[in-house]
Amino acid sequence: MRVRLILLVSATSLLVVVAFLVPLAMLVRSSAADRAVSAAAVETQALAPVVASADPEALAATVSQVNAVNPHPVTVFLPDGQVVGAPAGRSGTVDRAAAGRSVAHDVPGGREVLVAVGGLPDGTAVIRTVVPDAELYRGVAGAWTVLGLLGAGLVVVSVLVADQLARSFVRPLAAVAAVSHRMAAGQLDERADAEGPPEVRAVGTGLNQLAGRVGELLLRERERVADLSHRLRTPMTALRIDAEGLPAGVDRDRVLADVAALERSVDDIIRTARGPGRPGPAGRCDAVRVLADRVAFWSALADEEQRAVAVDLPPGPIPVRVSADALAVAVDALLDNVFGHTPEGAGFAVRLHRRPGGGARLTIADRGPGMPHGLPVERGRSGGGSTGLGLDIAARTAAGSGGGLSTAPNPGGGAIVSLDLGAPEPDGPAGWLRGR
């Protein structure tokens, strides 16, 4: 927009300058020529009394003196055919001037001035001189140079003024655009400054109102999610009481542990819902430790359903750029899909590998029916009658760590889901252990 405004003003200024300077330059040239011809005519007419005196000797001496100092030579054509002064041929224009009419016309190399002098006994004499082009247009080049510099200066000034005018429009618009980009990135507390032309201020005000409204709606939705999650506390309390009433043993401890995990999940949902909308740091954890814990949890259910579980975990920790809770939720979502969409007795394999550039790759392969038509990972859509959120949760967790999720058919039947997790940012020796 700024460049277009400058180009528009520059083109308009250039057209105005050309339309003004070209006629003015031609007028300067014409005025200089008229001035030179008028001066030559006055000098020539000064010889008229000498020519009218009919004294050939005095006329010859006077014309010689004039030609000695005059830049344009003078020739006198007498009625009897004599020529006094600079030699020149008698042309038709001289004959027309001899009829009693003074004339001036262009000739090659200059302009010819003819002055008729009457009152001689034999007729009319003609005084002729030629003003050369150098004298006709003396000073015109300098005047044109001044006019050209003046025109260029006017164009430059107009460009500078247009640039300042464009800045007054573009700068506030750029600031509003920058604020909108920051809002799109999640910084909903950003606001545009009310500056610039009225139209730009109106845009900034509208953007601020929109941001405020979006913030209100998000806050309302977070509070609603928190309230809905809080309703789960009553049935969870009843479930805990029922679990505590079971006979002491492994089953009671397992049910109580499940209830405690459910309560932690609900508390985390409430904290997340009521927390700030801006995403925080990705966090970090040991992928081996989290995966071993979640596989041990799901292995109990796998034993009940007679599912063969193959686990391949490398020794030692593998740091990844995701919090332990977030990775546990992603793993639970993937394993829940295995149990929910494959028949009982269908085994699965869980493998974890180090990535060459850092981080880890988690692969879960099952022996179920597979994903129909290469089921796309799209939030809210499912080919198995579920909510369609499991794969999306895992995909967003992987993307937040700098990785991604991919699916492929299992050559032995079933599906393979691969989760790439990025390496944590280096911040000192063993700094990633804070997220364990």
Side-chain angles (χ1 to χ4, degrees), residues 33 35-48 51 63 66-77 83-89 91 93-94 97 102-117 125-133 135-136:
R35 184 171 57 253
V37 170
S38 298
V42 170
E43 294 174 357
T44 303
Q45 289 175 355
L47 295 175
V51 175
V63 171
V66 170
N67 287 341
V69 298
N70 202 347
H72 39 82
V74 175
T75 303
V76 178
F77 297 93
V83 178
V84 180
S91 62
T93 56
V94 174
S102 300
V103 295
H105 64 94
D106 294 329
V107 294
R111 183 168 295 183
E112 186 181 46
V113 179
L114 301 173
V115 177
V117 180
V126 177
I127 305 175
R128 175 185 180 272
T129 186
V130 176
V131 183
D133 289 336
E135 187 175 350
L136 280 174

Side-chain angles (χ1 to χ4, degrees), residues 90-165:
R90 189 181 183 93
S91 62
T93 56
V94 174
D95 294 335
R96 287 194 294 272
R101 182 180 179 183
S102 300
V103 295
H105 64 94
D106 294 329
V107 294
R111 183 168 295 183
E112 186 181 46
V113 179
L114 301 173
V115 177
V117 180
L120 275 73
D122 297 333
T124 301
V126 177
I127 305 175
R128 175 185 180 272
T129 186
V130 176
V131 183
D133 289 336
E135 187 175 350
L136 280 174
Y137 305 117
R138 182 179 301 166
V140 173
W144 283 5
T145 301
V146 173
L147 290 176
L149 293 176
L150 178 62
L154 291 175
V155 173
V156 170
V157 170
S158 67
V159 170
L160 294 177
V161 173
D163 182 62
Q164 294 300 321
L165 181 63

